């Protein structure tokens, strides 16, 4: 009888199945909770899918203005759809934009319709929101056509490079230049603090702080520019932004409408590192991932961030635990394996003995646990000291681990990390480093096999065992005070050493438990596809 191959790390399939089973047990109560709640951001995203755009003269988006008035009149717990489309059917305005203006001026009163009026409002809302989701479907089909026409990136890992000037009109030429130098994915990092804004700015922006504001117009401008460069280079260049923070669902909807290809979208990042309320975050992330699934967008998760606050060796199992949870939440929302850019990072202190072998063990464990996912491999940041020569060498080792373990997405490391925002010349040198290692290594991952029962295999299996132990503690927690056990684990500082209770954090006032009359046409349509 021939035994089933168990990969380079000889992971026990039963043990891997047990880990996933525990992740499901930890995640399922969170999904149940999310289904019973809505948020102001989910409702605003629904209005955006229905076509409501623009802002008032003060720059406040019309979706915020309309949402605020509806909430004041009827509450958040019933959703925005029935009151808004009931008002349109009653002749309060001819369209959403006019209704938002009149509501903002105080000339419209909203009600929660009942009976036949509610049914008519339900049908009208679904029809209009459905048109927006069909636009997302069309943009996904357009991406597929352009990849066939221009060609795709010639190899993996895809080379992922960040652009962040604050000025979209400066970002565009820098992004195009990076693509010409070999970048396959351009990420426009957001302005510092945007994740804590409870509105999405409007229009093209020319001033940001260590990044550029995520707006629909900025998405449109950058996507159009990279389409031109894709045609020039004969390969489709992907565009990334950030669907996180208080406006996660809205930004996800805008990304789908403007054909972005990847979005940063972690289930716990906003909770841990931006102190956003856990319930708000989990409700918003489920809706946003349903949109990403429909749009064919690859998500990037944020496990790398844990290792900026916790020790990368001692906390390695928390990264694997989060990856398994992110996988469960993503698939429950309808995402497929090829859309799971699960994050991990090269963040072990290089002065630790055998640090390179430890990095190989952790990276290979992620690769073998998630063989069909395009894992996102993140460069060193925590232990970059300002010594650019040492930093360049560390980035080379990081690139080599990516090549040896078959990572799917490789974020380009900068030797000037912790010194300055990278110059164009820094990016050129960093891309040279990546190209040299990838070209020299070739398909070295096919030849790389750690010794059976050797250091790398033992370390990987140790991390997996610690992951199972942690997940088991989470699901068997008897002190969760009625909350889902994962919320209790987050409150205890299990991930990234950050303690975030479910009753604290920003944005809690924008969450409501849904009523029996609640209706959201976007959720209904997205659930049908899932």
């Amino acid at each position: 009888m021939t035994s089933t191959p168990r990969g380079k790390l000889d992971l026990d399939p039963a043990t891997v199945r047990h880990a996933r089973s525990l992740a499901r047990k930890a995640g399922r109560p969170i999904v149940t909770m999310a289904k019973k709640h809505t948020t102001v951001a989910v409702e605003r995203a629904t209005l955006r899918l229905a076509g409501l755009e623009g802002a008032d003269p003060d720059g406040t988006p019309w979706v915020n203005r309309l949402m605020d008035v509806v909430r004041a009149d009827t509450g958040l717990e019933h959703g925005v759809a029935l009151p808004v489309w009931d008002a349109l059917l009653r002749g309060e305005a001819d369209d959403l934009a006019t209704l938002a203006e009149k509501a903002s001026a105080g000339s419209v009163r909203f009600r929660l319709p009942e009976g036949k009026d509610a049914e008519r409002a339900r049908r009208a809302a679904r029809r209009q929101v459905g048109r927006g989701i069909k636009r997302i479907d069309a943009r996904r089909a357009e991406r597929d056509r352009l990849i066939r026409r221009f060609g795709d990136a010639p190899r993996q890992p895809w080379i992922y490079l960040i652009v962040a000037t604050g000025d979209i009109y400066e970002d565009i030429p820098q992004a195009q230049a990076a693509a010409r130098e070999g970048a396959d994915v351009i990420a426009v990092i957001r302005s510092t603090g945007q994740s804590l804004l409870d509105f999405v700015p409007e229009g093209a922006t020319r001033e940001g702080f260590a990044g550029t504001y995520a707006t629909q117009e900025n998405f449109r401008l950058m996507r159009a520019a990279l389409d031109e460069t894709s045609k020039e280079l004969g390969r489709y260049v992907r565009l990334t932004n950030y669907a996180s923070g208080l406006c996660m669902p809205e930004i996800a909807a805008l990304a789908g409408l403007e054909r972005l290809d990847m979005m940063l979208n972690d289930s716990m990042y906003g909770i841990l590192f931006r102190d956003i309320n856990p319930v708000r975050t989990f409700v918003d992330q489920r809706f946003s991932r349903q949109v990403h699934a429909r749009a064919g967008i690859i998500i990037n998760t944020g496990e790398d961030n844990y290792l900026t606050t916790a020790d990368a060796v001692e906390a390695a199992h928390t990264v694997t635990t989060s990856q398994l949870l992110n996988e469960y939440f993503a698939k429950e929302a309808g995402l497929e394996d090829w859309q799971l850019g699960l994050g991990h990072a090269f963040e072990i202190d290089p002065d630790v003995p055998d640090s390179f072998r430890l990095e190989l063990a952790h990276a290979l464990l992620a690769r073998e646990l998630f063989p069909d996912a395009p894992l996102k491999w993140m460069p060193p940041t925590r232990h970059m000291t300002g010594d650019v020569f040492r930093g360049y060498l560390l980035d080379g080792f990081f690139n080599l681990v990516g090549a040896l373990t078959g990572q799917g997405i490789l974020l380009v490391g900068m030797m000037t990390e912790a010194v300055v925002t990278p110059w164009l010349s820094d990016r050129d040198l960093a891309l040279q480093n990546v190209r040299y290692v990838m070209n020299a290594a070739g398909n070295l991952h096919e030849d790389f096999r750690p010794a059976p029962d050797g250091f790398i295999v033992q370390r990987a299996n140790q991390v997996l065992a610690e992951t199972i132990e942690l997940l088991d503690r989470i699901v068997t927690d008897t002190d969760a005070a009625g909350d889902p056990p994962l919320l209790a684990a987050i409150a205890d500082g299990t991930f990234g050493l950050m303690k975030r209770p479910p009753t604290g954090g920003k944005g809690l006032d924008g969450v409501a438990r849904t009523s029996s009359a609640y209706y959201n046409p976007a959720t209904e349509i997205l659930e049908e596809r899932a």
Side-chain angles (χ1 to χ4, degrees):
M1 181 177 177
T2 304
S3 61
T4 303
R6 295 183 9 165
K8 297 179 181 182
L9 293 174
D10 195 33
L11 300 178
D12 178 13
T15 301
V16 173
R17 286 194 300 271
H18 182 48
R20 282 197 163 89
S21 174
L22 288 170
R24 284 193 300 274
K25 288 180 181 178
R28 195 175 291 125
I30 296 290
V31 172
T32 300
M33 177 192 72
K35 288 180 176 181
K36 295 177 180 179
H37 290 77
T38 188
T39 73
V40 290
V42 167
E43 301 305 319
R44 294 193 304 248
T46 302
L47 292 172
R48 289 185 181 277
L49 288 170
L52 183 55
E53 300 177 352
D56 69 9
D58 295 327
T60 302
W62 288 120
V63 293
N64 286 66
R65 289 292 192 193
L66 184 55
M67 180 68 244
D68 289 348
V69 177
V70 172
R71 185 179 186 183
D73 285 352
T74 66
L76 175 60
E77 65 273 17
H78 310 302
V80 74
L82 293 181
V84 163
W85 271 271
D86 171 67
L88 290 171
L89 290 171
R90 286 189 285 114
E92 294 286 356
D94 292 333
D95 54 45
L96 279 175
T98 305
L99 184 67
E101 291 184 31
K102 292 179 69 175
S104 181
S107 58
V108 177
R109 290 298 299 250
F110 293 94
R111 66 174 189 173
L112 182 65
E114 298 178 350
K116 291 182 179 179
D117 288 340
E119 282 304 312
R120 282 193 290 267
R122 182 186 293 258
R123 289 195 298 270
R126 180 180 170 110
R127 188 162 52 247
Q128 192 160 345
V129 172
R131 285 197 287 268
I133 293 176
K134 285 181 181 177
R135 282 181 58 198
I136 289 177
D137 293 341
R139 299 313 301 268
R140 177 174 181 167
E142 181 182 36
R143 178 193 299 116
D144 294 340
R145 286 196 304 273
L146 290 176
I147 291 174
R148 289 194 298 270
R149 182 189 307 169
F150 298 148
D152 208 343
R155 39 84 193 102
Q156 281 195 334
W158 291 335
I159 299 172
Y160 176 116
L161 191 135
I162 291 173
V163 171
T165 70
D167 182 345
I168 189 62
Y169 294 105
E170 287 293 329
D171 289 343
I172 286 171
Q174 290 200 18
Q176 291 176 314
R180 293 185 186 106
E181 289 297 315
D184 303 307
V185 182
I186 300 296
V188 183
I189 198 168
R190 289 189 307 182
S191 179
T192 298
Q194 184 175 353
S195 60
L196 300 181
L197 298 179
D198 214 344
F199 68 94
V200 180
E202 287 284 332
T205 61
R206 306 207 65 170
E207 185 176 283
F209 305 92
T212 303
Y213 285 103
T215 75
Q216 185 170 8
E217 179 63 6
N218 285 349
F219 289 177
R220 187 191 68 79
L221 289 168
M222 184 60 82
R223 182 65 272 168
L226 291 180
D227 283 349
E228 293 176 6
T229 306
S230 297
K231 182 177 180 181
E232 170 194 331
L233 297 175
R235 58 180 171 85
Y236 184 76
V237 180
R238 287 172 170 80
L239 174 59
T240 301
N241 211 283
Y242 293 68
S244 59
L246 292 171
C247 293
M248 188 191 308
E250 294 177 82
I251 293 175
L254 296 177
L257 291 168
E258 299 301 334
R259 191 173 32 89
L260 272 68
D261 307 287
M262 291 187 191
M263 296 299 284
L264 278 289
N265 186 239
D266 186 81
S267 63
M268 294 189 285
Y269 173 83
I271 300 169
L272 301 175
F273 299 99
R274 293 295 180 266
D275 194 20
I276 296 172
N277 175 258
V279 179
R280 170 78 176 258
T281 298
F282 281 120
V283 176
D284 284 349
Q285 71 91 24
R286 184 170 187 268
F287 183 94
S288 66
R289 288 186 177 191
Q290 289 179 313
V291 174
H292 292 327
R294 185 78 179 225
I297 287 172
I298 296 170
I299 66 166
N300 294 168
T301 62
E303 285 82 4
D304 55 286
N305 293 283
Y306 301 173
L307 305 183
T308 63
T309 54
D311 182 82
V313 178
E314 294 177 359
H317 64 292
T318 68
V319 169
T320 307
T321 300
S322 178
Q323 289 170 335
L324 288 163
L325 290 168
N326 261 310
E327 178 192 48
Y328 168 73
F329 290 132
K331 289 190 172 183
E332 188 280 330
L335 289 153
E336 300 179 41
D337 282 317
W338 65 269
Q339 294 175 282
L340 306 185
L342 301 172
H344 56 145
F346 188 98
E347 289 285 18
I348 297 173
D349 184 344
D351 292 330
V352 169
D354 291 310
S355 64
F356 187 71
R357 289 206 290 173
L358 288 167
E359 296 283 14
L360 278 171
H362 298 173
L364 192 56
L365 174 62
R367 178 72 286 163
E368 298 218 339
L369 283 176
F370 310 100
D372 299 316
L375 302 179
K376 184 182 177 187
W377 182 225
M378 301 288 286
T381 58
R382 185 177 183 179
H383 298 289
M384 298 291 271
T385 62
D387 180 341
V388 295
F389 302 103
R390 180 177 184 268
Y392 201 67
L393 182 61
L394 273 180
D395 285 335
F397 275 100
F398 157 76
N399 295 331
L400 182 58
V401 171
L404 283 170
T405 59
Q407 301 299 309
I409 304 164
L410 185 143
L411 194 148
V412 177
M414 295 292 155
M415 76 294 291
T416 49
E417 180 76 39
V419 182
V420 295
T421 300
W423 299 93
L424 291 177
S425 56
D426 299 337
R427 291 191 182 123
D428 287 343
L429 286 169
L431 284 165
Q432 286 179 30
N433 190 329
V434 176
R435 285 197 302 270
Y436 170 73
V437 172
M438 293 303 158
N439 291 337
N443 291 324
L444 185 58
H445 65 91
E446 295 177 358
D447 302 316
F448 169 59
R449 292 189 175 276
D453 296 322
F455 180 93
I456 290 173
V457 170
Q458 289 184 29
R459 173 59 184 171
N461 279 273
Q462 177 190 355
V463 172
L464 181 57
E466 292 173 355
T467 297
I468 290 172
E469 181 182 345
L470 174 56
L471 283 167
D472 191 58
R473 286 206 311 271
I474 291 172
V475 301
T476 58
D477 181 9
T478 58
D479 298 319
D483 293 320
L486 181 56
L487 290 186
I490 292 169
D492 288 342
T494 299
F495 301 96
L497 303 181
M498 301 294 182
K499 296 183 178 182
R500 305 299 191 200
T503 55
K506 303 171 183 70
L508 177 59
D509 59 345
V511 183
R513 189 177 181 91
T514 54
S515 72
S516 59
Y518 178 78
Y519 177 64
N520 186 310
T523 300
E524 183 177 69
I525 294 168
L526 295 169
E527 292 275 7
E528 288 169 357
R529 171 63 65 90

